Amino acid sequence: MDLGSLTVAIVVGLLGALYWVLKRVNEWVYESKLGEERRSRLPPGDMGWPLIGNMWSFLRAFKSGRPDSFISSYVKRFNRTGVYKSFMFGSPTIMVTYPEGCKQVLMDDEHFIPGWPKATLKLVGRKSFVGLPHEEHKWIRKLTAAPINGHDALCVYLKFIEEIVVSSLEKLSNAGEIEFLTELRRLTFRIIMHIFMSTASEAIMEELERVYTNLNYGMRAMAINLPGFVYHRALKARRRLVEILQSVVDERRAGKRRNGASKGKDMMDALLEIKDENGRSLTDEEVIDVLIMYLNAGHESSGHITMWTTVLLQEHPEFLEKAKAEQEEIVRNRPPGQKGLTLKEVRQMDYLSKVIDETLRLVNISFVVFREATSDVNVNGYLIPKGWKVQVWFRNVHMDSEVHSEPKEFNPSRWEGPPPKAGTFIPFGGGSRLCPGNDLAKLEIGIFMHYFLLGYKLTRVNPKCPLRYLPHPRPIDNCLARITKVTPQAK
């Protein structure tokens, strides 16, 4: 071997050794603390590079348009164990990707607490649902349940939602090319803001929507707080959002001191006036963080799912006709003199409900949630160590061919028959921390689809448009399309 070949061989060997060492730094740092016996019970996996862990491969998979390749790479390398060790968002993490394990983690409040990354908590707020301990979460959830998902509240919201949907569809049908997703996000934002702050000015509404959009884009970004990065813009948006909401809170509190409790209460009034059995009221920080959390739960999900439900039905005429026929039947059975929908009619939309569930399964608006183990826990025969983060991968459950046949196919008929086995369909999470705005979101989607199916058609400009998957799956053109009125056919 000549000198040049020897030099190359030495360099290659050194690089190989360096690669081997770097790939094991996280394991040495975090696993060595467990002791040999506990370490031997960890699930298989890969903890990536120092500091960044597996974040590059996670972001590469989602930004390349192949989000399922991230988990599938673990399955290929470590077999189908359903539980894998990793290093995500700055912490040693166990990823749970099979139904029974997801159900176990979601339902067990004794051994698992919220474990969202610190960077995410800075955006949504430490007093939001995702950051609260169990007892405090239970109290605020009970407080906000009736004003958001209660029967009386939904009946009241229905009429406002109906009015804004009817007027919006009329305007959009005369607007030419539109970004359908953008318009739906505006629509759902107006709905949720009416519920929260019914007297807010148009200027405040518009700025809140703009600022919240920037905050939301940072939810799944790498936590790099430097100018030019998404997370940096999101933190600035958070600060501005708090400023705006604080000004509204101050104005409301001043009004209550002058005039007493208001008669017609919106969500903010309810939050400002509520007291527990010991007379404790919510602080300004708690009020603001709860409102920001509901913005995500009651705005982002419903806007995106409404878009995808519409798009998927247009792409599958056989399902579109069945959904439309159901809405026509509801109108035909309506008593003489009734104008508009009732909550009872919305709950009779059995087939449309299957369509929405299938959209939730296929699209996976929330693909993962975060927990933290409060003690050593056994899941599928493997150890989740105390203090380690846990990721519950909804997306993997919904897109697993061994759980749902032909998972990439849109097929509402899969929901006919008995309800799904626990843990196999978890678009809103589960247990005590089930998404608090799910009923309101489904009401918004149902009302929009009712009027769309009865009188409108969507024609996309770029039907093969590529998708972005972070923070939520969406076409990169925000579903550029035309909405046209459809003349009802004579029966």
Side-chain angles (χ1 to χ4, degrees):
M1 181 181 292
D2 58 32
L3 183 60
S5 298
L6 180 60
T7 302
V8 169
I10 291 173
V11 170
V12 170
L14 289 173
L15 289 175
L18 179 62
Y19 174 86
W20 186 88
V21 170
L22 290 176
K23 286 289 284 184
R24 282 158 179 76
V25 167
N26 281 339
E27 293 181 4
W28 293 332
V29 170
Y30 295 100
E31 293 185 23
S32 61
K33 301 174 183 178
L34 301 177
E36 192 57 38
E37 191 277 329
R38 294 169 74 212
R39 185 176 183 179
S40 68
R41 294 190 283 126
L42 287 173
D46 168 18
M47 298 189 75
W49 300 95
L51 301 178
I52 62 171
N54 307 94
M55 289 300 295
W56 273 351
S57 55
F58 160 72
L59 292 172
R60 184 172 64 246
F62 275 74
K63 291 186 175 183
S64 69
R66 299 181 298 109
D68 299 314
S69 65
F70 178 65
I71 294 296
S72 66
S73 70
Y74 280 81
V75 176
K76 289 176 182 176
R77 287 180 290 160
F78 306 112
N79 298 319
R80 190 182 169 85
T81 62
V83 190
Y84 306 96
K85 67 180 179 183
S86 61
F87 191 88
M88 299 284 285
F89 296 94
S91 299
T93 300
I94 301 298
M95 302 186 299
V96 181
T97 65
Y98 74 108
E100 294 80 8
C102 291
K103 176 189 171 186
Q104 178 182 345
V105 175
L106 292 172
M107 300 298 289
D108 188 351
D109 290 329
E110 180 182 354
H111 298 105
F112 297 101
I113 59 174
W116 291 81
K118 292 180 181 178
T120 303
L121 285 177
K122 286 183 179 179
L123 296 180
V124 295
R126 65 189 185 93
K127 291 296 184 178
S128 67
F129 279 8
V130 299
L132 292 175
H134 180 63
E135 288 304 318
E136 196 171 354
H137 165 265
K138 187 167 66 173
W139 177 63
I140 293 186
R141 188 183 184 95
K142 181 181 179 182
L143 160 70
T144 58
I148 288 290
N149 282 335
H151 180 273
D152 292 343
L154 293 177
C155 287
V156 172
Y157 302 152
L158 186 151
K159 291 306 173 187
F160 174 76
I161 296 170
E162 190 173 36
E163 289 172 6
I164 194 172
V165 164
V166 170
S167 63
S168 296
L169 280 169
E170 180 67 30
K171 290 176 184 177
L172 294 178
S173 67
N174 295 309
E177 287 186 4
I178 57 167
E179 289 186 0
F180 186 44
L181 176 58
T182 301
E183 297 299 333
L184 286 174
R185 292 181 77 253
R186 285 175 180 158
L187 186 153
T188 56
F189 192 87
R190 289 182 66 84
I191 291 169
I192 203 70
M193 290 312 299
H194 176 81
I195 293 169
F196 287 165
M197 301 183 297
S198 57
T199 60
S201 69
E202 192 68 28
I204 286 179
M205 290 268 217
E206 290 179 359
E207 185 172 9
L208 280 170
E209 181 187 4
R210 183 171 61 254
V211 172
Y212 177 75
T213 298
N214 287 333
L215 181 148
N216 187 59
Y217 284 151
M219 290 291 193
R220 299 289 188 271
M222 291 189 73
I224 302 175
N225 188 15
L226 294 172
F229 286 87
V230 172
Y231 185 71
H232 179 77
R233 289 196 298 272
L235 284 174
K236 288 178 65 177
R238 159 79 191 187
R239 289 192 290 272
R240 180 56 186 151
L241 195 60
V242 170
E243 286 176 7
I244 298 170
L245 292 174
Q246 184 66 61
S247 69
V248 177
V249 168
D250 292 342
E251 184 180 319
R252 291 288 181 95
R253 289 199 188 279
K256 292 181 190 306
R257 285 193 294 270
R258 291 192 304 267
N259 308 317
S262 56
K263 294 180 181 178
K265 295 180 182 177
D266 54 26
M267 183 70 168
M268 181 169 281
D269 288 323
L271 292 175
L272 292 176
E273 294 175 9
I274 197 72
K275 293 182 179 180
D276 67 12
E277 61 274 12
N278 298 316
R280 182 174 94 79
S281 302
L282 294 179
T283 65
D284 288 0
E285 182 186 13
E286 288 171 326
V287 170
I288 289 170
D289 283 354
V290 167
L291 291 176
I292 292 175
M293 184 276 303
Y294 268 114
L295 274 177
N296 186 272
H299 159 55
E300 285 296 324
S301 297
S302 52
H304 282 76
I305 289 299
T306 302
M307 180 207 72
W308 280 115
T309 303
T310 308
V311 167
L312 290 167
L313 282 177
Q314 292 280 186
E315 292 176 351
H316 297 83
E318 68 278 24
F319 302 137
L320 175 67
E321 288 306 312
K322 287 185 70 173
K324 182 176 182 179
E326 180 180 66
Q327 303 310 308
E328 291 171 339
E329 181 72 12
I330 286 173
V331 174
R332 279 196 300 271
N333 292 336
R334 188 168 288 166
Q338 178 184 318
K339 293 182 179 180
L341 281 164
T342 64
L343 190 57
K344 180 180 178 181
E345 288 175 336
V346 174
R347 288 174 172 167
Q348 289 172 348
M349 298 176 183
D350 182 62
Y351 186 73
L352 182 59
S353 179
K354 292 180 173 61
V355 169
I356 295 170
D357 283 349
E358 178 65 351
T359 304
L360 288 164
R361 182 200 65 81
L362 182 63
V363 174
N364 292 291
I365 291 296
S366 297
F367 64 90
V368 68
V369 295
F370 301 82
R371 296 288 186 266
E372 180 181 321
T374 60
S375 61
D376 285 1
V377 186
N378 183 293
V379 174
N380 206 26
Y382 295 103
L383 171 69
I384 298 181
K386 177 182 179 180
W388 280 37
K389 303 295 185 181
V390 183
Q391 289 186 340
V392 181
W393 274 77
F394 301 165
R395 182 180 181 90
N396 192 72
V397 170
H398 294 159
M399 302 304 291
D400 188 339
S401 60
E402 294 193 17
V403 178
H404 300 282
S405 63
E406 298 182 328
K408 295 183 179 180
E409 296 295 320
F410 176 71
N411 179 18
S413 300
R414 75 172 74 244
W415 302 110
E416 295 173 356
K421 186 179 177 183
T424 61
F425 181 59
I426 43 178
F428 295 111
S432 65
R433 293 181 183 268
L434 185 74
C435 176
N438 59 331
D439 286 344
L440 176 61
K442 283 194 170 185
L443 179 67
E444 294 178 60
I445 299 165
I447 294 172
F448 182 91
M449 294 309 303
H450 172 78
Y451 284 99
F452 178 86
L453 288 166
L454 289 177
Y456 296 90
K457 177 183 177 182
L458 180 80
T459 305
R460 295 184 66 184
V461 175
N462 307 305
K464 301 297 183 183
C465 181
L467 304 182
R468 285 198 180 100
Y469 287 89
L470 293 175
H472 307 293
R474 69 193 191 280
I476 62 172
D477 67 353
N478 286 324
C479 196
L480 194 64
R482 289 178 180 270
I483 290 181
T484 52
K485 278 191 173 182
V486 177
T487 304
Q489 296 180 353
K491 297 294 183 181

